[in-house]
Amino acid sequence: MRILYVTSLWSGLRPLLFEGADDTKGMPAFVEPLRYLIEHGHEVELVINTKGGLPPLDVRAPWLRNIPLHGLTGPRRRRWQQRRLLRGLVRDRLSTFSPDFLYLHGTAVAPFWKIARDRGLPCAQRVYGVDNHLDTFGGSPRWWIRLRKPGTWHAFNGEKAFVIATRDGSRGDLLQKKLNPRPSYAFHFLLNGFVPPV
């Protein structure tokens, strides 16, 4: 399968891409699914969302060395500029790479599900960082949360094959029920870490 993997620069990924690390010390859920896909023969391209331009690459991990990586170049930009340029980059990679699947990793890139929908491309989402959302927005109406946390809103409301959240105290299952009580996607509420299928 050809997979366009769009991700923010999560823990463990930066050392592997830009600091010459040949192994990761980061949280397994951030890196191991990517490694599993690559080592099991899927053709993966990475689009990295960074706050500024991509640092110079220094990839030494054998499993990651030949993976095409794309990101924005140039100085740090305003958030709306960054999002617009990144959206253009994702569209370009979808046209050039022609993947079978779009995988969105993190809420910052969650709104890109619309690009997949417009192309009839299956899409999925991995959600992080929602552990305090219910405390902050528990009594708020959904429309207000959509305005305040659009990435989180899109993560749980986009047209996707599945959404994964972590069962580590995040209460992501309760947030999912609040934001999208009747989802069209499969919702997986998993223990943190990564256990590959046997």
Side-chain angles (χ1 to χ4, degrees), residues 67-198:
I67 300 304
L69 186 143
H70 310 278
L72 300 177
T73 58
R76 189 171 179 150
R77 303 167 180 89
R78 294 183 184 275
R79 186 176 296 175
W80 66 268
Q81 294 171 313
Q82 178 82 5
R83 194 164 36 244
R84 180 175 54 83
L85 291 170
L86 193 64
R87 186 182 303 115
L89 178 58
V90 170
R91 283 192 178 115
D92 175 72
R93 295 320 307 159
L94 289 175
S95 296
T96 306
F97 179 49
S98 298
D100 304 304
F101 198 79
L102 176 64
Y103 186 61
L104 304 173
H105 204 245
T107 53
V109 299
F112 298 152
W113 69 266
K114 294 178 180 178
I115 303 172
R117 177 202 59 193
D118 293 346
R119 293 169 181 257
L121 185 69
C123 174
Q125 175 80 51
R126 175 64 161 98
V127 179
Y128 297 103
V130 298
D131 52 315
N132 64 349
H133 283 22
L134 278 179
D135 294 333
T136 306
F137 301 118
S140 305
R142 287 193 294 241
W143 64 265
W144 194 80
I145 299 171
R146 183 175 187 174
L147 291 175
R148 293 299 304 271
K149 289 286 184 183
T152 301
W153 172 266
H154 284 288
F156 288 105
N157 282 279
E159 295 176 19
K160 297 165 184 169
F162 62 86
V163 172
I164 300 172
T166 305
R167 194 168 74 222
D168 58 357
S170 72
R171 295 182 291 166
D173 58 333
L174 301 179
L175 184 63
Q176 186 274 324
K177 286 177 183 174
K178 178 174 180 62
L179 292 179
N180 191 351
R182 293 177 295 280
S184 59
Y185 53 78
F187 180 68
H188 302 287
F189 193 47
L190 306 177
L191 288 173
N192 208 350
F194 177 74
V195 181
V198 179

